[in-house]
Amino acid sequence: MSILPRSLNDWPAIKYSYDPRLRSIEIPGVDRMVTLRRGVAPVFAAFLADWQKRMPKRMSLKPGPVDGWNYRPARLADGYSNHASGTAVDVLYSSVLPADGKKHMTPAEKTILNKLLDEYKTADGH
């Protein structure tokens, strides 16, 4: 019996796009879809919709990728990316948070995002 690879957050990786553990879901209020692990897809979609609603200039869910599931190794660590288990989402970086090491959010935006993150935390702090 082979052991299935796990993502960095210890969820089982999903190798194929047709796996029934995956679900493509529309982000409410935005004409965009994202593919994620079935059980977490509604939470991610709601979070992205809330971020878009509260900070539309920062989120900009306009045409462009909203990347969820992608069976691939992690870029900066040993193991599979959380995307491989369908438990991570990337949005269009150039319009949201460019990966250039600079601060891009205003203090007001940070407050809004931190409040939003707090609303989505589980009882155990995840």
Side-chain angles (χ1 to χ4, degrees):
M1 182 169 112
S2 68
I3 297 175
L4 295 174
R6 299 183 81 77
S7 61
L8 295 175
N9 60 10
D10 205 33
W11 287 66
I14 299 172
K15 193 168 187 175
Y16 300 105
S17 62
Y18 55 80
D19 190 299
R21 293 174 292 175
L22 292 174
R23 173 183 178 192
S24 292
I25 187 170
E26 187 169 332
I27 299 168
V30 181
D31 189 23
R32 301 290 295 287
M33 301 286 286
V34 63
T35 300
L36 293 157
R37 181 173 287 272
R38 185 169 295 281
V40 301
V43 175
F44 273 92
F47 175 79
L48 292 168
D50 284 346
W51 188 354
Q52 174 69 40
K53 187 187 307 180
R54 294 181 196 179
M55 288 194 297
K57 289 181 182 176
R58 175 59 63 196
M59 183 52 125
S60 298
L61 281 177
K62 55 189 176 193
V66 175
D67 296 322
W69 171 82
N70 182 354
Y71 186 73
R72 65 173 173 79
R75 292 190 181 118
L76 301 175
D78 290 334
Y80 279 85
S81 166
N82 292 335
H83 292 275
S85 61
T87 58
V89 172
D90 288 338
V91 293
L92 188 62
Y93 281 114
S94 61
S95 67
V96 180
L97 298 173
D100 60 8
K102 297 177 184 175
K103 293 182 179 181
H104 292 278
M105 293 186 120
T106 67
E109 288 173 329
K110 280 184 172 181
T111 299
I112 291 168
L113 183 57
N114 286 334
K115 184 174 188 250
L116 182 60
L117 288 167
D118 284 343
E119 291 172 19
Y120 281 86
K121 278 185 185 168
T122 60
D124 64 358
H126 288 90

